[in-house]
Amino acid sequence: MASGFPECVGIAGSGTIACGVAACVAASGGDVVLWARSEESAERARAGLAGAARVTVETELEALADSTLAIEAIREDSFLKRELLAGLRGVLGGEALLCTTTSSLKVSELAAASGDPGRFFGLHVFNPVKRMQLVEVCFPDEAHEPVRERARAFCAAIGKAAVEVPDEPGFVVNRLLFPYLFDAVRLLERTGMEPEEIDACMKLGASYPMGPLELLDLVGIDVAEAIGEALHADTADPAHRPPGRIKELVGEGRLGRKSGAGFYTY
């Protein structure tokens, strides 16, 4: 464990959020072992984290065995997350904490799948991780008080403001944000306006730093679809249902910035 840093961190995942968290921990003086599912994914992660000297990328889950805090950060797929969380608990020591970066799934259900809900919490960070200040922290009822204290201390150690939120799909930010984002897509579908026009209205008229369609491209169109489907399954609110254009873009492989095209071309 790095001197002065509260945890020895393992991260299971190699995508944008996983690498963003790894970079934050390393910049704050912590050491990280990041697990990638394949050597190809590992090479991409190493390239993206080239400036983060404290991060080691591995392809064997057992490489996370010495972690005191393991962070699951794979895509929003309930089955895959449950499977990975159970595997992580099997390789971690008894005192290690386990958390998930889910943005839309029930933390209590993922905690149960981990096999040790008393040492589990939700850690919803925002993209781009290094710039965004907020972390939504969510605890299952079984979480022990020392676990809650360690979770808050970790957030403080990486320079984030932690707000404890209820265990509802989407927590606070996504619960409120996605009806707005999806309504922008429906407006585009209905009127034929250009993405630039809709985004300019919200940036210049509401002082938003990004327009809704730019933000969807940053989040990832596939991620937005998964969040919307999870929210809609929970609420049955039509405002949470992903619009047709979202599904079309996913089918076309236009997933936003990460794929080079979404509502915009990059």
Side-chain angles (χ1 to χ4, degrees):
M1 188 181 302
S3 177
F5 197 82
E7 304 288 349
C8 182
V9 179
I11 298 176
S14 58
T16 301
I17 293 296
C19 290
V21 174
C24 273
V25 172
S28 302
D31 293 320
V32 185
V33 178
L34 185 144
W35 170 80
R37 196 176 293 274
S38 68
E39 190 54 43
E40 181 182 2
S41 297
E43 285 303 316
R44 283 199 301 267
R46 291 185 188 109
L49 291 163
R54 292 180 173 271
V55 182
T56 303
V57 180
E58 303 285 355
T59 56
E60 298 294 332
L61 198 61
E62 289 74 15
L64 305 186
D66 292 333
S67 304
T68 61
L69 170 62
I71 302 170
E72 172 275 305
I74 62 171
R75 64 189 177 94
E76 287 292 279
D77 182 301
S78 179
F79 175 80
L80 291 178
K81 282 184 179 288
R82 290 164 187 254
E83 184 179 57
L84 178 56
L85 288 166
L88 281 168
R89 180 46 72 190
V91 303
L92 293 172
E95 296 300 310
L97 304 189
L98 183 53
C99 70
T100 176
T101 61
T102 185
S103 56
S104 62
L105 302 173
K106 293 274 285 185
V107 168
S108 58
E109 294 175 2
L110 296 177
S114 78
D116 190 0
R119 297 186 179 279
F120 193 91
F121 64 98
L123 183 81
H124 181 210
V125 297
F126 295 84
N127 188 30
V129 181
K130 290 186 76 171
R131 287 194 358 230
M132 300 298 281
Q133 288 283 290
L134 177 67
V135 177
E136 290 180 317
V137 179
C138 182
F139 298 103
D141 291 341
E142 298 92 339
H144 309 304
E145 186 54 37
V147 170
R148 297 169 188 251
E149 292 172 0
R150 283 173 63 185
R152 297 184 193 106
F154 171 73
C155 293
I158 61 171
K160 303 300 182 187
V163 175
E164 187 171 340
V165 295
D167 189 12
E168 294 190 3
F171 307 121
V172 174
V173 172
N174 284 348
R175 194 90 168 193
L176 301 179
L177 177 63
F178 272 82
Y180 157 68
L181 298 180
F182 288 165
D183 207 28
V185 178
R186 294 187 183 99
L187 182 66
L188 179 145
E189 293 174 326
R190 191 168 63 250
T191 65
M193 291 180 72
E194 294 296 327
E196 296 89 345
E197 295 172 323
I198 292 173
D199 285 341
C201 287
M202 296 312 297
K203 288 189 288 187
L204 301 177
S207 295
Y208 285 13
M210 296 183 74
L213 304 175
E214 290 176 289
L215 182 53
L216 281 165
D217 272 359
L218 177 63
V219 169
I221 307 301
D222 54 335
V223 175
E225 180 186 42
I227 292 171
E229 288 177 345
L231 289 170
H232 186 255
D234 182 64
T235 67
D237 186 338
H240 287 141
R241 182 186 291 120
R245 185 60 183 142
I246 293 287
K247 294 185 174 295
E248 289 172 10
L249 289 171
V250 171
E252 295 166 5
R254 294 171 61 96
L255 307 180
R257 288 191 183 185
K258 63 187 176 184
S259 69
F263 288 100
Y264 294 87
T265 299
Y266 301 91

